[in-house]
């Protein structure tokens, strides 16, 4: 397929909202022992549950290394296609393609990926296999691709409403390890050009101690255009309180690209979740990979849910606020089934269900 030199906006393409119809979803199978404990075995069980749950609603495409290919293909999963592909880890939201559409055609945006901050504060080294995933996804989908060699971005650092509005965090998009050569205005323009958008909303920070430099997908998500959920705590002594309060004040005072006031729904966070000794000891300590220390607080949030055709996959943690998250989302998504998945093992790897999935929009 072709590499395009123009940009999606010029060509009349836009990134749809995740809540718009999908043709399929991608996932990368986890195995790296310096990120996933016990060689990824506990995480694989949860990834499998995510795969099987999505596959009830839409086709799933699973990317897997040659080491794990036979293990996964031997499972003979229904509505699942398997693709052997080199990879560095399993965060397809971040290293995978962002798909854009016009009325009748789809294309891929292939951002430069540097493992969340490259040599400044990246989470592992090297990341060259991950940086090639988006172009391989474009080949699988048989679509042309816009490649940005000079602009670092992960899919988890943007949320689009499909109607001209993008939400990001300043903490992430202005971080030293991404695009320090660009001004905020230049970053905005690149986002609008490559997502087919008109307006960028800049929430100050993401979830407390989020190792991605505060990806937006852990703190805010679009339910539909003009309406978002925001991760929230009422505990004023928690450092998260000030972060969520600033985001709330900012979003409630802003309008989107269509001039609508934004409705902000608060979604209570689980109580702080810490890494146990056993969990820490299960991860191989490797120079160049972020360590997992006993007692470290994880960036747990229900907002890291994934919206698919007919359902919402919601990470839950065995916390007293799980049921509140289920009820809140059931009210906000009356036409979708809420599918709670106990996702502590994904959280231990540094993200959650949204971070390990990537939608392919349906082209009408
Ligand atoms: O999008 C994410 N939350 C990915 C985090 C990467 C973690 C690598 N250890």
């Amino acid at each position: 397929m072709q590499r395009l030199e123009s940009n999606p906006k010029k060509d009349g393409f836009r990134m749809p909202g995740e809540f718009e119809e999908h043709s399929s979803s991608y996932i990368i199978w986890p195995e790296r022992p310096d990120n996933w404990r016990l060689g990824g075995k506990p995480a694989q069980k949860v990834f499998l549950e995510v795969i099987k749950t999505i596959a009830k609603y839409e086709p799933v495409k699973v990317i897997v290394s040659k080491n794990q290919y036979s293990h996964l293909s031997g499972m003979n999963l229904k509505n699942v296609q398997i693709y052997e592909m080199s990879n560095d880890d399993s965060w397809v939201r971040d290293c995978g393609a962002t798909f854009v559409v016009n009325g009748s055609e789809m294309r891929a945006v292939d951002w430069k990926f540097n493992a969340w901050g490259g040599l400044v504060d990246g989470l592992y080294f090297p990341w060259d296999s991950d940086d090639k995933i988006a172009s391989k996804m474009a080949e699988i989908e048989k679509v042309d691709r816009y490649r940005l060699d000079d602009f670092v971005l992960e899919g988890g650092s943007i949320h689009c409403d499909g109607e001209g509005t993008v939400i990001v965090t300043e903490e992430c998009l202005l971080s030293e390890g991404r695009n320090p050569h660009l001004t905020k205005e230049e970053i905005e323009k690149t986002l609008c050009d490559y997502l087919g958008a008109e307006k960028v909303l800049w929430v100050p920070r993401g979830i407390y101690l989020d190792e991605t430099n505060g990806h937006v997908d852990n703190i805010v998500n679009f339910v539909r255009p003009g309406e978002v959920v925001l991760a929230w705590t009422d505990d004023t002594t928690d450092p998260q309180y000030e972060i969520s309060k600033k985001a709330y004040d900012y979003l409630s005072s802003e309008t989107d690209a269509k001039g609508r006031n934004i409705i902000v729904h608060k979604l209570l966070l689980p109580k702080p979740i810490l890494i146990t000794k056993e969990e820490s000891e299960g991860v191989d300590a490797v120079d160049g990979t972020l360590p997992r220390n006993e007692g470290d607080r994880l960036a747990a949030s229900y907002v890291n849910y994934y919206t698919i055709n007919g359902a919402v996959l919601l990470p839950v943690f065995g916390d007293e606020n799980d049921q509140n998250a289920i009820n809140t989302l059931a009210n906000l998504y009356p036409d979708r089934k809420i599918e709670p998945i106990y996702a502590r093992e994904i959280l231990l790897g540094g993200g959650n269900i949204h971070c390990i999935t990537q939608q392919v929009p349906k082209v009408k």
Side-chain angles (χ1 to χ4, degrees), residues 80-111:
V80 173
Q81 277 176 289
I82 298 172
Y83 299 90
E84 184 182 314
M85 201 181 284
S86 347
N87 60 77
D88 297 303
D89 203 359
S90 39
W91 307 99
V92 73
R93 172 68 50 191
D94 292 341
C95 64
T98 297
F99 292 104
V100 291
V101 297
N102 67 3
S104 55
E105 196 190 329
M106 183 170 82
R107 291 179 179 174
V109 181
D110 175 4
W111 316 95

Side-chain angles (χ1 to χ4, degrees), residues 35 89 91 94 116 123-124 211-212 215 292 349-352 355:
N35 191 60
D89 203 359
W91 307 99
D94 292 341
W116 308 273
L123 300 178
Y124 49 71
E211 65 195 57
T212 62
H215 270 187
R292 302 273 170 225
N352 226 306
C355 312

Side-chain angles (χ1 to χ4, degrees), residues 208-223:
Y208 179 59
L209 298 181
D210 188 326
E211 65 195 57
T212 62
N213 309 95
H215 270 187
V216 75
D217 71 345
N218 217 14
I219 187 162
V220 181
N221 193 6
F222 277 111
V223 178

